[in-house]
Amino acid sequence: MEENQNRYQNQAGDSAAVLYNIHKKGQIIHKVGLSPAGRKIIRKGLLCTAVCLSMLLQTVSGNAKTTDRQQFVQNGQQPVPDEQQSVQTEQQSVQTEQQSVQTEQQQSAQGGQETDAAVTFRQLNDSDVFLKQSQARVCTLTASTMMIRRAAMLSGNPDWRQITEKSVRKSAWAEKTGLKWNFTAAGVSVTHKTLSSKTELIRLLDKHPEGVVIYNSRKPHAILVTDYTDGVFYCSDPANDKPDGRYPVAQASITVESAGRCWYVKSPVNLTVDKGAMDQQSGHRVDSLIYTILDEDAKTAACTGRAFADAAVVVPDTVQIDGVEYQVVQITDGAFADSDNLKEIVIGADVTDIGAKAFYQCKNLQKVTVNAASLRKIGADALAGIHKKVKILVVGNRIEVFAAMLSGTSVPVTATIGTGTDSSLQIRSQSQKG
């Protein structure tokens, strides 16, 4: 009997010690720089080992207790109360260790879920993500910094806001030369290559949701191309005289066709973005323009800008989006701002509101035809910075009423305003492919 008791106590003690060591090793995992996935795998292994040892301990305990009870009964004795309490204490200890390991595993799993949470398309393109260059001739540096910030976000780096032009400059910039061909900043490795075509850029963007920096050496400037959505290249231009945030490349300082070089992220690889909110932010491309739906029931839509850098544009009376016809009642704030090559535009008769800075700094816009039957408002600085000799033709409204709307739009004092139409463009409805 004493031999059985000693054997049981030794086995129980050894197993409990192993479990205690497993618990300690589980704690050490927190101090090791493993990824959440790695911690999960190790903890699963430790938990399985703990469970097996616990089962073994319970089996040994049961066998030892049965043998002891049989020997007590054979000798006409009852088990010793202290021994029963000892067995219960050991079992409780094992259960406590097992629960501790399970708890730590759950906490680790929860932490991993938080770290690995997908970044949404809307978050990736929030205005806070993008930057403007601090001085002239650092556009490549600023554009690359935006790309690195987005890569850090997609990698789960909560400190991506700390990635700035200044912090990246230390490793990416060569004085009197410019941006290095290859460099690493904030744990993101960037490399360089020549860019041969739009098709090649589309392929790169498909693999790099963080974006690709393109550069035009003939008109020295760089922009971050953020994505290629519904047949449209979107970007963020670091130039201070360009809009903030993400918008079609048609509003940027350079075109995709003019770019001959690019920088992209070499590592980390296989980054992904949750595109659940993508359609709402990108809008709907119909022919050469982009629209957002304002009211599904009223069937109204707004024109938010150009998809391509066409010189002549028509904002139609109605537009077909996914087989449904919508009235185009609005041109949004800044919709065509900084469109350097826009020369002529015709505005449909259903438009009631032209937003602030809608045609801001369209320096070559020389002819505007407004079918103003429904027009009620033109926003502040909507016509600021357009061609000094612009000809504005008003159709369907008295010239006096229209002239009153121009107050505050910063239309050039040398502009010619008249009635009628001699535009070669025609108002028309547009249809979406598919």
Side-chain angles (χ1 to χ4, degrees):
M1 181 178 66
E2 290 180 357
E3 182 180 352
N4 287 336
Q5 290 176 342
N6 291 336
R7 183 173 66 252
Y8 161 68
Q9 291 173 352
N10 290 336
Q11 290 170 333
D14 291 341
S15 298
V18 171
L19 285 174
Y20 178 78
N21 288 333
I22 290 174
H23 171 65
K24 287 298 183 182
K25 291 181 183 296
Q27 291 179 324
I28 292 174
I29 291 174
H30 288 293
K31 301 179 181 180
V32 179
L34 295 175
S35 66
R39 292 199 298 269
K40 290 177 184 177
I41 294 172
I42 294 176
R43 289 189 178 283
K44 284 182 180 180
L46 292 173
L47 180 60
C48 289
T49 303
V51 171
C52 291
L53 286 173
S54 176
M55 293 173 62
L56 177 62
L57 177 58
Q58 291 174 1
T59 301
V60 172
S61 172
N63 292 339
K65 288 168 64 178
T66 300
T67 302
D68 291 345
R69 287 181 180 276
Q70 290 174 347
Q71 291 181 358
F72 273 114
V73 171
Q74 290 174 359
N75 295 331
Q77 299 175 344
Q78 294 295 325
V80 179
D82 291 344
E83 179 188 338
Q84 291 177 335
Q85 186 175 359
S86 176
V87 171
Q88 292 173 355
T89 300
E90 293 291 349
Q91 289 177 336
Q92 290 174 355
S93 176
V94 170
Q95 291 174 356
T96 299
E97 294 292 343
Q98 184 176 348
Q99 290 173 355
S100 177
V101 173
Q102 289 174 338
T103 299
E104 288 188 10
Q105 184 192 30
Q106 291 172 355
Q107 292 174 347
S108 176
Q110 292 173 355
Q113 289 172 358
E114 293 175 358
T115 302
D116 297 339
V119 175
T120 67
F121 187 79
R122 189 174 298 278
Q123 290 171 330
L124 190 64
N125 291 288
D126 187 82
S127 59
D128 290 342
V129 177
F130 302 110
L131 302 169
K132 290 297 183 182
Q133 60 194 76
S134 63
Q135 61 188 72
R137 295 188 291 277
V138 294
C139 54
T140 51
L141 174 62
T142 309
S144 296
T145 301
M146 291 190 284
M147 178 176 68
I148 293 170
R149 284 162 72 96
R150 286 158 58 93
M153 288 180 67
L154 295 171
S155 301
N157 183 350
D159 297 324
W160 60 267
R161 290 179 181 83
Q162 305 303 317
I163 301 172
T164 63
E165 179 190 298
K166 183 178 180 180
S167 67
V168 173
R169 187 186 187 109
K170 297 175 183 178
S171 55
W173 192 255
E175 297 300 333
K176 299 182 180 180
T177 301
L179 193 70
K180 297 178 181 178
W181 286 161
N182 304 281
F183 62 89
T184 298
V188 177
S189 296
V190 176
T191 191
H192 164 276
K193 68 178 297 184
T194 57
L195 188 63
S196 60
S197 66
K198 291 170 59 175
T199 302
E200 184 178 20
L201 179 58
I202 292 171
R203 285 198 298 264
L204 281 171
L205 290 170
D206 186 53
K207 296 180 180 179
H208 296 278
E210 68 278 3
V212 176
V213 174
I214 64 172
Y215 178 72
N216 179 1
S217 58
R218 289 170 294 179
K219 180 185 177 181
H221 191 64
I223 62 175
L224 172 66
V225 182
T226 58
D227 57 284
Y228 181 71
T229 302
D230 194 22
V232 179
F233 288 101
Y234 289 84
C235 74
S236 186
D237 191 332
N240 286 286
D241 62 348
K242 292 297 177 181
D244 295 330
R246 168 187 175 270
Y247 41 84
V249 168
Q251 292 177 247
S253 302
I254 63 173
T255 65
V256 169
E257 293 81 1
S258 67
R261 301 177 184 175
C262 71
W263 283 262
Y264 64 96
V265 172
K266 185 177 181 180
S267 68
V269 296
N270 299 324
L271 298 176
T272 58
V273 60
D274 179 3
K275 297 183 178 180
M278 193 170 189
D279 290 340
Q280 294 87 332
Q281 181 156 343
S282 296
H284 303 270
R285 180 177 70 85
V286 182
D287 293 340
S288 64
L289 298 179
I290 300 172
Y291 301 86
T292 57
I293 296 172
L294 298 176
D295 191 323
E296 285 283 5
D297 295 329
K299 298 294 184 290
T300 56
C303 177
T304 61
R306 298 186 300 170
F308 308 110
D310 296 337
V313 170
V314 173
V315 178
D317 298 341
T318 61
V319 63
Q320 291 276 338
I321 299 175
D322 295 332
V324 179
E325 186 174 80
Y326 296 86
Q327 280 184 297
V328 182
V329 299
Q330 185 182 117
I331 297 174
T332 60
D333 294 354
F336 297 92
D338 297 289
S339 297
D340 292 342
N341 65 340
L342 181 62
K343 295 181 179 180
E344 182 177 355
I345 188 164
V346 174
I347 299 173
D350 289 336
V351 173
T352 63
D353 185 354
I354 298 175
K357 295 188 175 181
F359 302 101
Y360 182 78
Q361 292 295 325
C362 292
K363 300 175 182 178
N364 296 304
L365 181 57
Q366 301 176 38
K367 185 184 290 185
V368 179
T369 301
V370 184
N371 286 263
S374 302
L375 189 62
R376 300 292 179 266
K377 179 184 177 183
I378 305 177
D381 294 328
L383 300 171
I386 64 175
H387 197 281
K388 292 181 179 180
K389 295 184 178 182
V390 63
K391 186 176 183 180
I392 301 176
L393 301 174
V394 185
V395 182
N397 201 337
R398 288 186 305 167
I399 192 69
E400 296 84 359
V401 175
F402 181 80
M405 294 184 210
L406 293 178
S407 176
T409 65
S410 301
V411 61
V413 296
T414 51
T416 301
I417 303 173
T419 59
T421 175
D422 62 358
S423 173
S424 60
L425 300 177
Q426 299 295 322
I427 295 293
R428 59 188 173 87
S429 297
Q430 302 184 22
S431 60
Q432 183 183 40
K433 298 178 181 179

